[in-house]
Amino acid sequence: MKRLLFFTLFFASFHGYSSDFEWNTKTQQAYLDIFKLKLTKGQQELSSELGTNGVALYLDDYADMLYLLLTEDRRSYEALVKKGEQRLERLEDMDQESPWNRCLRAEIKMHWAFVKIKFGKEVPGAWDVIKAYKLLDENAKKFPQFTYNKKALGMLHVLIGSTPESYRWVTKLLGLRGNIQQGLQEIHSVAVKEPLFKPEAQLIEYLMQAYVLRLSKSEVTDFQKFLNQNDDNLLIQFFGNSILMKEGYGEAALAIANNHPASREYLSIPFFTYHKGEILLQKGDYDQAILAYQQFLKQHNSGNFIKDAYYKQYLCYELDSNSKQAQAYFSKIKSVGETNNEADKTAQKASDKPYVTFTANQRAVMKARFASDGGYYEQALGMLKNLTEASFTDLYDQTEFNYRKARIYHRMNDFVAALPLYLRAVELGEKQNWHFAPSSCLQIGYIYQLRNEKAKAKSYFEKAMSFKKHESKNSVDGKAKAALNEMGY
C-alpha cells in the first residue's frame, strides 16, 4: 500500500479568481520545468514570485517534495519539512475566497504525506492525507466548477475506493468517501479541460490503472506512445520505467534506464540504476546486475532499497551457483538500510532465516520467476520444462512451482493452461500463511472478469480477501477490492 500511496499521491488553467494566486508566465514556466525535474531552474524562476503569489509557494513546495522523494536526502529532510509548514502558514493568510487556497494547501499536505511515509513516519503522513481530503472535499462543495481540484480529489477517491474491506470502517469513521470510477472520471476531466496540466493528469490516469486496477495490452501500447511524446520529461520517464517493469516489459524499461534525460539541468535519480539491476537480474545477466546494484549503493547509501540491493546481489550469486559470495552478501542484509517498504521487508525476513543453498530445482523456479517478471516468458517456461510438482518434496516448493508456472501461462494469455495450476496452488497452500493461494485466487478472479463471468470473478476476489495472514495481504486485498468496485460490487 505504501508503494501504491507513494506512486499515486505524487502529483499535485488559468482562472483569474484572485491576485494572490496567479498562473502567470513565470509560474507556468516554472511548473513545466519542475514537472520535468529541472528543479533548480524551476525554483530560480519562482524567486521573484514567492513573496506575493500562492501558486509560487505551492510550486516551490512541489520541487522540494520531488527532490526528497527521488533522492531520499536524510540531511535535508527536517529543514525542508519546516519550509513546507511555513508555506502552509503563509497560504492560510491569503485570499480564502479563492478556489486555489484550499486546493493548494491540500496538495502541500499531500506532498508531506508522501515524504513522511517514504521516510518511515506513517502516522503523521496518514493524518496529512486525511486533512488534505477534508480541504479538497470542502473546496469541491464551495467551488463545484473548479476543475483543477478534481486532480488531487480524484486520486484520493480512487485510493479510498480501493481500500480493503477490513479497513473500510476506518474510512467511514473519518468521513472519507471514495469510488474508483468516479475518481478516474475526475482525473480525466482535468486532462480534457486543463491544457497546462494535461500530461500530469494523463500520467496520473496511467498510474491509477497500473497500480490500482490493471493495464491492458492496448493501454500499455498507448502508454508507450505517451512516453515517446514526453521523452524530455524525466519524471514521466521515471514512472514509465517503473510501470513498464511492473507490466513485464523488461526490454522497454531497460531502454529507458539506459537512455533517459540526464543533463545537468535534470535531477539525478539513483533509482534508475537500481531498476537496471532488477532488469538484468530478470534477464539472467548476473555479473552486470551485481555491478548495477553496487553502483546504486555508491549513489544511494542510506534509506530505502539498501537491504533489497544486498539481497538481490545474494540472489545473483546464489543463482549463479557461487555460494561463497552469496553467503557473504546474505550476512550483510541485517546490518544495512531500513524496512519502510515491502522489498526491504522481504529482504529482512529472508535474512532472519539460516542461510541455505538452493537445490537445482529451487534455482530453476527462482530463475523462471525473475524471467517471467521481466516478460521473458519463453525462457521462463524453458527453465521449468523438465520439472513437475513431483520434482519437489517440500509443500512450499510444490505450491510455489504451481503458482509460478500459472503466472507464466497467464501472462502469455494461455488461460486454459494457467487455471488448473492456479487451482492446484490454492489447494496446496490454502491452510498456510503464504501468499500463493490468495494471489492465485486474485488471478483466477481476473481471468473470469476478462471472460465476463462476473459471478465466478466475484467469488474468487472475495476468496482472495478471506485469507487472514500472509505477506501480501494488503496488496492482494486492495487489488481484489478495486476489481469488485470496477465490476459494480
Side-chain angles (χ1 to χ4, degrees):
M1 192 70 182
K2 283 186 206 170
R3 191 180 178 196
L4 174 62
L5 189 60
F6 164 58
F7 283 127
T8 56
L9 291 179
F10 212 84
F11 298 95
S13 225
F14 304 96
H15 302 285
Y17 291 103
S18 166
S19 59
D20 282 351
F21 300 93
E22 292 189 6
W23 284 94
N24 55 36
T25 303
K26 287 184 179 180
T27 51
Q28 288 177 46
Q29 186 58 52
Y31 164 74
L32 294 172
D33 285 329
I34 290 168
F35 183 51
K36 291 180 179 180
L37 294 182
K38 297 180 179 181
L39 302 186
T40 301
K41 185 172 182 283
Q43 288 184 297
Q44 287 174 346
E45 289 160 347
L46 295 171
S47 58
S48 64
E49 298 281 321
L50 290 173
T52 57
N53 192 342
V55 170
L57 289 171
Y58 158 70
L59 292 174
D60 198 41
D61 196 82
Y62 189 24
D64 282 352
M65 179 268 295
L66 291 171
Y67 171 78
L68 285 176
L69 287 178
L70 293 171
T71 66
E72 298 188 3
D73 181 354
R74 263 62 180 166
R75 292 171 298 180
S76 300
Y77 172 79
E78 293 294 342
L80 294 181
V81 167
K82 288 180 181 178
K83 284 182 68 177
E85 293 170 352
Q86 291 166 359
R87 292 182 188 111
L88 281 171
E89 290 175 1
R90 291 173 65 186
L91 284 171
E92 286 174 1
D93 292 334
M94 292 185 173
D95 185 2
Q96 293 282 339
E97 294 306 309
S98 168
W100 289 104
N101 189 301
R102 291 174 184 81
C103 181
L104 296 185
R105 282 162 54 202
E107 292 215 19
I108 289 176
K109 288 184 180 295
M110 289 164 64
H111 291 171
W112 296 103
F114 306 150
V115 173
K116 289 172 185 176
I117 291 169
K118 187 74 179 286
F119 281 67
K121 302 179 186 299
E122 297 180 20
V123 173
W127 279 112
D128 279 341
V129 172
I130 293 165
K131 292 173 185 176
Y133 176 89
K134 299 290 188 183
L135 284 168
L136 292 165
D137 190 50
E138 180 183 354
N139 209 41
K141 292 172 182 174
K142 190 174 179 67
F143 304 101
Q145 303 305 315
F146 182 55
T147 305
Y148 181 84
N149 197 72
K150 296 179 181 180
K151 175 168 68 75
L153 188 58
M155 286 189 286
L156 291 178
H157 282 154
V158 172
L159 285 174
I160 296 164
S162 64
T163 303
E165 198 64 40
S166 57
Y167 294 98
R168 296 291 281 181
W169 67 273
V170 178
T171 60
K172 291 179 181 177
L173 181 66
L174 294 171
L176 309 180
R177 295 176 177 80
N179 179 284
I180 291 173
Q181 294 307 316
Q182 175 192 351
L184 289 174
Q185 289 169 5
E186 287 168 334
I187 297 165
H188 186 69
S189 72
V190 179
V192 171
K193 296 180 181 179
E194 297 284 0
L196 178 64
F197 307 111
K198 182 178 179 179
E200 184 180 0
Q202 286 178 307
L203 179 58
I204 294 167
E205 287 186 90
Y206 284 119
L207 286 167
M208 296 290 101
Q209 288 289 343
Y211 288 98
V212 178
L213 300 170
R214 288 163 297 125
L215 284 173
S216 66
K217 284 194 172 183
S218 63
E219 287 170 333
V220 173
T221 299
D222 290 341
F223 180 58
Q224 289 176 301
K225 292 178 182 176
F226 172 71
L227 293 177
N228 291 335
Q229 292 164 357
N230 294 277
D231 59 357
D232 67 334
N233 188 310
L234 183 59
L235 187 61
I236 289 176
Q237 295 300 307
F238 176 74
F239 279 116
N241 178 240
S242 301
I243 289 175
L244 290 173
M245 285 178 63
K246 177 187 177 297
E247 297 299 316
Y249 289 76
E251 290 301 306
L254 185 60
I256 294 176
N258 284 328
N259 190 33
H260 57 270
S263 73
R264 290 185 178 182
E265 282 191 310
Y266 292 97
L267 180 69
S268 178
I269 305 176
F271 297 107
F272 275 114
T273 311
Y274 169 79
H275 288 170
K276 185 176 178 180
E278 296 284 275
I279 300 163
L280 291 167
L281 170 57
Q282 293 167 351
K283 288 170 67 74
D285 191 345
Y286 303 123
D287 289 341
Q288 292 301 311
I290 289 167
L291 289 175
Y293 288 124
Q294 290 176 348
Q295 184 183 355
F296 166 70
L297 291 169
K298 289 178 182 177
Q299 299 168 336
H300 183 76
N301 54 21
S302 65
N304 293 299
F305 297 102
I306 304 297
K307 286 184 183 293
D308 186 65
Y310 277 92
Y311 176 63
K312 294 297 175 51
Q313 288 180 82
Y314 142 70
L315 286 178
C316 284
Y317 283 116
E318 183 61 45
L319 293 174
D320 207 25
S321 302
N322 187 339
S323 294
K324 183 178 179 180
Q325 284 288 83
Q327 191 163 4
Y329 277 90
F330 184 85
S331 66
K332 296 177 182 179
I333 297 170
K334 284 186 180 180
S335 61
V336 299
E338 303 171 359
T339 53
N340 294 326
N341 61 54
E342 289 186 13
D344 288 326
K345 287 178 180 178
T346 297
Q348 181 68 31
K349 185 176 179 180
S351 73
D352 288 336
K353 299 176 182 178
Y355 175 83
V356 178
T357 300
F358 292 171
T359 66
N361 291 345
Q362 289 172 329
R363 198 170 282 125
V365 171
M366 182 68 76
K367 288 181 177 181
R369 168 194 169 183
F370 284 124
S372 174
D373 287 344
Y376 309 106
Y377 305 128
E378 295 294 344
Q379 296 93 314
L381 277 181
M383 294 164 185
L384 302 180
K385 67 179 180 180
N386 295 322
L387 300 179
T388 66
E389 182 184 309
S391 303
F392 305 90
T393 57
D394 186 83
L395 181 61
Y396 181 95
D397 291 337
Q398 292 174 341
T399 309
E400 181 174 17
F401 169 77
N402 282 284
Y403 174 73
R404 300 297 179 198
K405 196 167 185 179
R407 291 295 291 131
I408 297 167
Y409 280 123
H410 190 170
R411 286 168 167 164
M412 297 175 75
N413 294 319
D414 188 345
F415 303 148
V416 173
L419 270 172
L421 291 164
Y422 279 137
L423 291 168
R424 180 60 175 160
V426 174
E427 181 182 359
L428 292 171
E430 192 160 15
K431 296 182 180 179
Q432 309 299 326
N433 291 332
W434 312 323
H435 79 90
F436 303 122
S439 293
S440 292
C441 289
L442 176 68
Q443 298 302 329
I444 293 169
Y446 284 146
I447 290 174
Y448 284 125
Q449 183 184 18
L450 191 64
R451 290 178 171 179
N452 203 32
E453 297 183 52
K454 295 181 69 172
K456 288 183 178 179
K458 178 176 181 289
S459 173
Y460 276 99
F461 287 137
E462 289 175 343
K463 185 169 184 176
M465 293 189 292
S466 72
F467 291 85
K468 301 301 181 186
K469 293 182 180 180
H470 59 90
E471 63 267 35
S472 299
K473 183 164 179 59
N474 286 345
S475 175
V476 169
D477 286 10
K479 290 175 181 177
K481 177 62 182 176
L484 288 167
N485 188 299
E486 187 181 19
M487 292 192 301
Y489 292 110

